[in-house]
């Protein structure tokens, strides 16, 4: 990973020091997993569907899964919003869940678009 890409990722809230530590300083593996996540992730769409249908048990499952993946990739802004969502659902506090989800979706898409621009040959849509 070149220094310019590192700076861009850090500027959007990704904790690369933590991520590289977690990936045993294998930057290539981290890049591959980051790209793979954004190429294949369906949890966000599934989370939206389950929230829209008031299936909070299923929504919790998707939010928790997304929290784990984004935590492992050190996508801190997305991870923190997933933490908020899972905590809200755990406490059965559904009042602002759509607001938090919308913020999550916006943040996720911003980071995804940045990563897509860094790796134009990827299959990120």
């Amino acid at each position: 990973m070149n220094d310019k890409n590192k700076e861009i990722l850090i500027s959007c809230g990704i904790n690369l020091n933590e991520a590289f530590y977690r990936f045993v300083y294998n930057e290539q593996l981290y890049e591959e997993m980051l790209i793979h996540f954004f190429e294949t992730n369906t949890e966000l769409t599934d989370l939206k569907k389950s929230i829209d249908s008031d299936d909070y048990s299923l929504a919790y499952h998707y939010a928790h899964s997304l929290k784990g993946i984004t935590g492992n990739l050190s996508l801190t802004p997305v991870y923190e919003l997933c933490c908020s969502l899972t905590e809200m659902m755990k406490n059965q506090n559904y009042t602002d869940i759509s607001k938090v989800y919308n913020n999550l979706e916006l943040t996720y898409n911003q980071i995804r678009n940045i990563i897509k621009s860094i790796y134009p040959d990827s299959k990120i849509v």
Side-chain angles (χ1 to χ4, degrees):
M1 179 180 302
N2 67 46
D3 288 342
K4 182 181 177 187
N5 287 354
K6 287 179 185 177
E7 288 177 23
I8 292 169
L9 294 176
I10 290 168
S11 74
C12 64
I14 297 174
N15 186 335
L16 284 183
N17 288 332
E18 182 182 275
F20 291 159
Y21 175 79
R22 190 171 279 122
F23 282 79
V24 197
Y25 300 98
N26 187 334
E27 294 179 19
Q28 182 180 350
L29 177 61
Y30 177 76
E31 277 183 302
E32 290 171 7
M33 292 297 101
L34 184 66
I35 293 166
H36 180 73
F37 168 69
F38 282 103
E39 287 177 337
T40 63
N41 178 51
T42 62
E43 278 84 6
L44 191 67
T45 304
D46 295 335
L47 174 59
K48 173 73 170 146
K49 288 176 187 175
S50 56
I51 289 173
D52 287 347
S53 65
D54 296 329
D55 187 346
Y56 296 112
S57 176
L58 190 57
Y60 178 85
H61 167 78
Y62 291 124
H64 191 267
S65 176
L66 197 55
K67 180 178 91 169
I69 297 165
T70 58
N72 284 329
L73 292 171
S74 298
L75 302 174
T76 307
V78 176
Y79 171 77
E80 290 173 350
L81 289 164
C82 290
C83 288
S84 295
L85 275 178
T86 56
E87 197 61 29
M88 291 170 75
M89 287 184 269
K90 190 187 310 184
N91 295 323
Q92 298 181 347
N93 176 10
Y94 308 121
T95 308
D96 293 325
I97 206 160
S98 291
K99 181 180 174 182
V100 175
Y101 173 82
N102 290 337
N103 196 12
L104 168 64
E105 184 177 48
L106 177 67
T107 303
Y108 175 95
N109 287 332
Q110 288 172 338
I111 293 172
R112 185 200 68 221
N113 289 337
I114 289 167
I115 292 170
K116 184 178 177 180
S117 73
I118 293 172
Y119 303 104
D121 294 334
S122 70
K123 296 176 185 162
I124 298 172
V125 290

